[in-house]
């Protein structure tokens, strides 16, 4: 099959035109184009995302099925529950939103990945998502301990459509804490799904599951028109996953 080649400004093909299971690379939709803010918003708004390496052109993807995490289905294992309870009660610990987006995405690009020798968060992607952040559509959820950034994640948000991108950790469980915080924020503000793009055993263990692309595209079409959640984190949001703290009065 011929892969569509896009010039900057060309519209992206419909997600249903992505290569299927019998094609060379299932989920691949197009190559070329640009990583400017309007193109990225159009892509994510139609369940498409860029993913490519240093030696490749821009590649656009819309896999079928799509891995998604419903915040209501997040699986809080006993060990992580204990970590979150300790984090919540420690005055040195806090979740910050968008305090250091550029630092977070660069840390994600440098984080080692099992089975990978490089990164898909190449310099053009770092620059593009920085611009998307400044436009109000990319956010970082950050784990801080003792005034030090120890882990986090970044995501894309269009209305109530939330797309997880990448995580990093400099201390044990720091990225899981950030993900749990994102789940709490989404639960608090009625966000129904967090896109996870690709199926991994780790995501499945946390409650993520596959969704047919057609259904995911329909979800994004609805969610992108809803008011965006306020991108800040209050400690009370932990009660979405943990028992409410007893009153001190």
């Amino acid at each position: 099959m011929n892969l569509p080649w896009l010039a900057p400004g060309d519209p992206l093909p419909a997600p249903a035109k992505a290569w299927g299971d019998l094609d060379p690379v299932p989920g691949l939709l197009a190559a070329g184009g640009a990583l400017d803010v309007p193109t990225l918003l159009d892509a994510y708004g139609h369940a498409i995302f860029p993913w490519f390496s240093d030696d490749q052109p821009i590649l656009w993807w819309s896999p079928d099925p799509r891995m998604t995490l419903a915040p209501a289905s997040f699986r809080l294992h006993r060990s992580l529950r204990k970590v979150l309870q300790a984090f919540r009660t420690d005055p040195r610990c806090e979740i910050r939103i968008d305090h250091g987006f550029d630092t977070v995405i660069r840390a994600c690009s440098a984080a080692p990945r099992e089975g990978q020798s490089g990164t898909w968060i190449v310099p053009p992607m770092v620059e593009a998502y920085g611009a998307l952040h400044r436009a109000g559509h990319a956010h970082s959820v950050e784990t801080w301990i003792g005034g030090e950034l120890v882990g986090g994640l970044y995501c894309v948000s269009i209305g109530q459509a939330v797309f997880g991108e990448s995580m990093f950790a400099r201390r044990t469980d720091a990225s899981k804490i950030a993900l749990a915080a994102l789940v709490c924020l989404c639960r608090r503000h009625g966000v129904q799904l967090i896109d996870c793009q690709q199926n991994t055993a780790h995501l499945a263990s946390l409650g993520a599951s596959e969704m047919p692309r057609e259904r995911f595209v329909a979800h994004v079409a609805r969610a992108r028109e809803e008011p965006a959640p306020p991108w800040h984190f209050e400690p009370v949001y932990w009660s979405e996953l943990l028992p409410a703290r007893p009153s001190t009065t």
Side-chain angles (χ1 to χ4, degrees):
M1 291 184 65
N2 291 324
L3 185 70
W5 180 266
L6 307 177
D10 284 351
L12 289 159
K17 294 184 178 294
W19 284 358
D21 290 340
L22 300 181
D23 296 314
V25 188
L28 184 57
L29 178 65
L35 289 174
D36 54 43
V37 169
T39 301
L40 287 172
L41 290 177
D42 180 59
Y44 279 94
H46 292 89
I48 300 164
F49 60 89
W51 186 36
F52 59 98
S53 299
D54 248 335
D55 57 348
Q56 297 175 322
I58 300 170
L59 299 176
W60 300 96
W61 303 78
S62 188
D64 186 17
R66 190 71 163 245
M67 194 69 164
T68 63
L69 173 62
S73 300
F74 181 69
R75 193 172 297 144
L76 184 59
H77 297 287
R78 183 180 302 174
S79 58
L80 182 57
R81 181 185 298 274
K82 291 180 178 179
V83 169
L84 294 181
Q85 288 172 333
F87 186 89
R88 179 175 67 169
T89 57
D90 189 334
R92 301 174 306 139
C93 298
E94 62 180 318
I95 295 294
R96 300 181 187 176
I97 304 288
D98 292 339
H99 183 85
F101 180 89
D102 291 338
T103 302
V104 168
I105 191 171
R106 292 183 188 281
C108 288
S109 73
R113 311 288 178 190
E114 185 175 352
Q116 298 183 22
S117 58
T119 178
W120 60 270
I121 311 174
V122 294
M125 293 280 271
V126 172
E127 182 178 348
Y129 284 86
L132 197 61
H133 168 65
R134 291 186 289 276
H137 292 287
H139 303 280
S140 56
V141 182
E142 305 159 14
T143 304
W144 289 75
I145 299 178
E148 178 188 358
L149 175 64
V150 297
L153 61 84
Y154 73 99
C155 60
V156 171
S157 171
I158 306 174
Q160 286 209 344
V162 175
F163 308 84
E165 289 295 318
S166 187
M167 303 189 295
F168 81 99
R170 293 171 178 160
R171 292 195 192 181
T172 303
D173 294 325
S175 59
K176 292 180 183 178
I177 293 170
L179 176 59
L182 176 61
V183 166
C184 288
L185 186 151
C186 289
R187 283 191 178 190
R188 177 57 59 108
H189 296 293
V191 174
Q192 296 180 1
L193 284 180
I194 301 169
D195 176 37
C196 302
Q197 299 177 350
Q198 304 286 346
N199 190 341
T200 70
H202 173 64
L203 290 168
S205 74
L206 296 173
S209 60
E210 292 182 331
M211 173 180 289
R213 180 175 57 215
E214 183 178 8
R215 184 177 159 203
F216 180 71
V217 169
H219 160 76
V220 171
R222 294 189 302 269
R224 71 189 183 201
E225 302 300 327
E226 297 294 325
W231 283 92
H232 66 267
F233 188 87
E234 301 290 345
V236 69
Y237 292 1
W238 287 124
S239 63
E240 297 293 330
L241 287 176
L242 302 173
R245 297 177 66 177
S247 173
T248 57
T249 59

